Amino acid sequence: MIDFKDVSKHYDNHTALRKITISVSKGEMVFITGPSGSGKTTLLKLIYLSEKLDEGHITVSERELENLKDSEIPLLRRNIGVVFQDFKLLNNRNVFENIALALRIRGEDDRELKSRVFDALKIVNLRHKADSYPQALSGGEQQRVAIARAIVTEPPIILADEPTGNVDPDTAAGIIKTFKDINARGSTILIASHNRELFRNTGRRVFKLENGNLAGEELG
Ligand SMILES: Nc1ncnc2c1ncn2[C@@H]1O[C@H](COP(=O)(O)OP(=O)(O)OP(=O)(O)O)[C@@H](O)[C@H]1O
Ligand SMILES: [Mg+2]
């Protein structure tokens, strides 16, 4: 479903990813790990096309990203739920509206929209914060809103960048459980994290990045 072939990405004169070849099948949940600066976020950004690759090939759902026209990018993104490392919540909209936005864009009717937003809020244990604004939430709560927003449309692909970076270990375990449940319902999921606890004993594939290189693959 997601294939990288000899993918490199350079920022100015810094090489963030070097000749990365990985393949993630439909229905898999995999982890990407490595130290700070090793290229995890960059790898996810290339899939979402918020950065363009410099060399190699990426295909996502059988589309070759390097040949995608700008006009085709919104359609690609509609199929991908993203938990950004810095959340990217809209500060002038409340929690409910942040999560509802993707459904509104799809033209979901009001009743269905409300029920899906509250289902997503329930999954991340934040129903009581539906009317709050992002600035009035703790870092961990904002992170959980970002997760609810990414899963509310049940997209075919979910990219989660350090989705447990701001929460305690028990909440982190709950979040991983949530991703497992959503994965079991069919979404293909890539989770980037430097926290080895997250994938220990998951039995899922873990790609290790070091300094922009793929340093190995193991089972969590
Ligand atoms: N927009 C940019 N311009 C220049 N260099 C960048 C840019 N974004 C990332 N880099 C560099 O590319 C490298 C990889 O960054 P990336 O954000 O992918 O790492 P990461 O593994 O996600 O790190 P972290 O664990 O800290 O989130 C780093 O050395 C970083 O400084
Ligand atoms: Mg990162």
Side-chain angles (χ1 to χ4, degrees), residues 11-142:
Y11 293 114
D12 306 323
N13 53 7
H14 177 79
T15 298
L17 291 175
R18 194 177 290 105
K19 287 194 167 295
I20 301 293
T21 299
I22 59 172
S23 209
V24 179
S25 304
K26 192 165 189 278
E28 257 195 296
M29 173 163 124
V30 302
F31 292 87
I32 296 145
T33 194
S36 183
S38 58
K40 305 181 293 296
T41 296
T42 302
L43 191 151
L44 296 183
K45 282 182 170 173
L46 294 181
I47 298 170
Y48 192 65
L49 274 179
S50 51
E51 291 287 351
K52 286 197 169 147
L53 77 170
D54 293 311
E55 289 141 41
H57 305 280
I58 301 178
T59 53
V60 176
S61 306
E62 281 154 30
R63 290 192 199 92
E64 291 220 339
L65 295 195
E66 59 273 22
N67 296 329
L68 216 60
K69 298 190 199 92
D70 283 354
S71 61
E72 294 170 313
I73 294 177
L75 181 63
L76 169 89
R77 290 188 177 157
R78 202 173 294 181
N79 288 313
I80 305 178
V82 188
V83 183
F84 295 97
Q85 191 164 12
D86 56 357
F87 317 145
K88 296 199 195 303
L89 300 176
L90 301 172
N91 285 325
N92 57 350
R93 303 204 189 192
N94 68 17
V95 165
F96 183 96
E97 288 301 331
N98 265 278
I99 298 168
L101 194 61
L103 298 170
R104 288 204 193 287
I105 290 167
R106 282 168 171 75
E108 197 83 69
D109 75 71
D110 262 9
R111 250 184 54 186
E112 176 71 13
L113 177 142
K114 214 168 164 181
S115 117
R116 292 181 76 160
V117 172
F118 277 108
D119 283 351
L121 276 171
K122 191 171 164 209
I123 287 171
V124 296
N125 284 325
L126 279 179
R127 283 187 78 134
H128 57 296
K129 296 285 184 184
D131 297 329
S132 300
Y133 282 78
Q135 280 124 325
L137 301 178
S138 73
E141 287 166 345
Q142 291 182 35

Side-chain angles (χ1 to χ4, degrees), residues 192-207:
S193 181
H194 53 72
N195 179 5
R196 309 189 64 82
E197 287 303 317
L198 280 195
F199 45 79
R200 199 197 297 275
N201 300 325
T202 55
R204 309 300 176 123
R205 293 199 295 154
V206 181
F207 298 107

